[in-house]
Amino acid sequence: MNKDTNALKEEVIRISGANPLKCMRCGKCSATCPAYDEMEYHPHQFVNMIENGDIEPLMASDSLYKCLTCFACVERCPRGVEPAKLIEAVRLITVRQQGMNHLTADAVPALLDEDMPQQAIVSAFRKYTK
């Protein structure tokens, strides 16, 4: 792992406060993910890729923005790895490097409808207002 990759990995771990080394690869986080079918990389893959320092493909993936940030993976993890926090950290680093968000807070109200759960609205603001 080169110096830049290691620094990026350490930054993700520092921002998230999660420890990918605790993962035992049981897959329970991905099994409970409601966005599983929409994601290129699933929660367990995020954890493994971060552990291995393979973060740039994650930063380029739309999976960053398809994660619902519902924290179902966090609740399901028997080892307390907190995959959603790792995903949020990679998203935050990506937004900071690009200098812009995938979606602005002003655009969220136009996307709302009556059937949208409140958790999705809170998640959108959590995701896009960092």
Side-chain angles (χ1 to χ4, degrees), residues 21-32:
L21 295 175
K22 293 186 340 184
C23 180
M24 63 183 186
R25 302 194 191 4
C26 67
K28 289 182 179 183
C29 57
S30 291
T32 194

Side-chain angles (χ1 to χ4, degrees), residues 97-116:
Q97 283 185 357
Q98 293 174 350
M100 56 185 249
N101 272 325
H102 182 72
L103 178 70
T104 64
D106 293 337
V108 173
L111 300 172
L112 301 178
D113 65 34
E114 292 178 13
D115 297 325
M116 185 171 292

Side-chain angles (χ1 to χ4, degrees), residues 64-123:
L64 279 180
Y65 305 103
K66 293 188 178 183
C67 170
L68 300 173
T69 321
C70 66
F71 290 89
C73 57
V74 172
E75 291 297 320
R76 189 80 168 109
C77 181
R79 301 284 306 251
V81 176
E82 303 179 307
K85 289 185 178 182
L86 290 165
I87 294 169
E88 280 194 325
V90 174
R91 182 186 308 127
L92 181 60
I93 291 168
T94 302
V95 167
R96 286 177 178 169
Q97 283 185 357
Q98 293 174 350
M100 56 185 249
N101 272 325
H102 182 72
L103 178 70
T104 64
D106 293 337
V108 173
L111 300 172
L112 301 178
D113 65 34
E114 292 178 13
D115 297 325
M116 185 171 292
Q118 287 183 354
Q119 182 178 9
I121 298 166
V122 172
S123 176

